[in-house]
Amino acid sequence: MPAIVLDDPTPPDPRHRWDSLDAAARGACYDNNAGVPDSAAQVAARNAASATYRAAHPDWLDIPYAAGARTGFDLYPATETGAPCLVFVHGGYWQRNARADFACFAEGLNAAGWSVAMPGYTLAPEASLTGIVAEIGAALDWLAVHGPARGIGGLTILAGWSAGAHLAALHLGHPAVSAVLAISGVYDLAPIRETYLNEKLGLTEVEIETLSPLRLAVTPKPMTIAYGSRELPALVHDARNLHALRSAAHAPGALLPVPGADHFSILDGFRRPDGILVRAAQDLLGGAR
């Protein structure tokens, strides 16, 4: 009787043939805007919805946690100071976007009784990736000290999307963080250095080795790693590889593929109190207690 073999339906990781790819092909491996045909329309709708949500919740916006122009928080506190808080770090390959563009993704968690805190950070090339990582740590330090006076004092789940997922994964060990929800992230920086994205980042060898979650020791706190089934293959494989690394170390946390979601639509799972990402945060909270 022939052996039964279950083939992996995921498209192969193009980085396995990296040396054969030219600069354009390497860049395409990470170009989420080009990889999602209606990305411009999705971004425009997101920004409009965020402007509306932000205007409806004006009390705790643009609160500085450091001296930089972008180093501020937008806070959306729950009614109860002791409610859990999701800290959401935006993406944009560390060189574009702003916290205000993502305000609408506080909606589902606020409706579920959570607080939401959205930090900004200095973008490359004004800041190095080392500097950006340090800013997120400073933001978490600030929130732990000053959050209760602004209605935020419960357990913290740190979440991030795209480059923000990378930043969130690096801060799982922060003492104020109970767990991480990493969404559609990039977890190995080495290939990034050989794409157009590095023109502003200027990644160093030290940064690749010390700021790539796939190259670091595993932190044994809970981390859920989410990705859309329609993500670019490089991002799908980074998510699976990080989960495999953590599973091998017996670290807690789920791998969460979101059916039908692309790199942008996956965040719709934060728009409703029963959304898949809201439920993922709630599940993490239960595991972190």
Side-chain angles (χ1 to χ4, degrees):
M1 181 176 178
I4 298 174
V5 177
L6 178 62
D7 290 328
D8 186 349
T10 306
D13 190 335
R15 297 169 298 186
H16 289 163
R17 51 187 182 88
W18 196 245
D19 289 344
S20 70
L21 301 181
D22 61 18
R26 289 179 177 183
C29 292
Y30 292 96
D31 192 342
N32 292 298
N33 289 324
V36 178
D38 67 340
S39 61
Q42 288 198 53
V43 168
R46 176 198 75 197
N47 292 353
S50 291
T52 298
Y53 198 79
R54 210 166 176 265
H57 299 80
D59 293 341
W60 298 106
L61 303 179
D62 302 318
I63 302 170
Y65 67 81
R70 287 178 170 266
T71 51
F73 263 111
D74 289 346
L75 305 178
Y76 304 95
T79 303
E80 299 294 331
T81 300
C85 177
L86 184 114
V87 177
F88 178 84
V89 184
H90 74 77
Y93 280 128
W94 311 276
Q95 53 196 278
R96 58 179 178 264
N97 293 330
R99 64 185 183 274
D101 300 333
F102 296 84
C104 65
F105 301 119
E107 183 176 8
L109 283 153
N110 281 165
W114 285 50
S115 295
V116 177
M118 295 190 174
Y121 51 88
T122 307
L123 303 179
E126 183 178 348
S128 67
L129 187 55
T130 298
I132 293 169
V133 172
E135 287 182 353
I136 298 303
L140 293 167
D141 292 342
W142 183 93
L143 191 66
V145 173
H146 300 285
R150 292 161 175 82
I152 297 177
L155 290 178
T156 295
I157 304 297
L158 177 60
W161 167 77
S162 197
H166 161 268
L167 295 170
L170 289 175
H171 286 91
L172 180 59
H174 190 283
V177 172
S178 298
V180 158
L181 173 55
I183 306 158
S184 304
V186 175
Y187 306 115
D188 187 2
L189 299 172
I192 295 288
R193 187 170 58 173
E194 300 181 16
T195 72
Y196 69 97
L197 294 169
N198 199 47
E199 293 172 8
K200 292 184 177 180
L201 287 170
L203 293 168
T204 68
E205 191 65 36
V206 171
E207 286 176 322
I208 288 170
E209 292 301 323
T210 61
L211 301 180
S212 293
L214 278 166
R215 296 169 182 252
L216 300 177
V218 169
T219 300
K221 290 183 186 177
M223 179 191 293
T224 292
I225 302 167
Y227 66 92
S229 67
R230 294 167 57 197
E231 299 269 6
L232 293 173
L235 274 65
V236 172
H237 286 282
D238 262 19
R240 289 184 170 188
N241 290 343
L242 183 57
H243 183 261
L245 177 70
R246 289 178 49 78
S247 293
H250 305 289
L255 183 67
L256 180 61
V258 180
D262 60 44
H263 190 69
F264 299 94
S265 65
I266 190 170
L267 287 178
D268 290 343
F270 277 135
R271 295 294 300 274
R272 303 178 312 278
D274 63 347
I276 190 169
L277 296 181
V278 172
R279 288 186 278 118
Q282 292 168 329
D283 289 345
L284 277 170
L285 183 67
R289 289 188 187 278

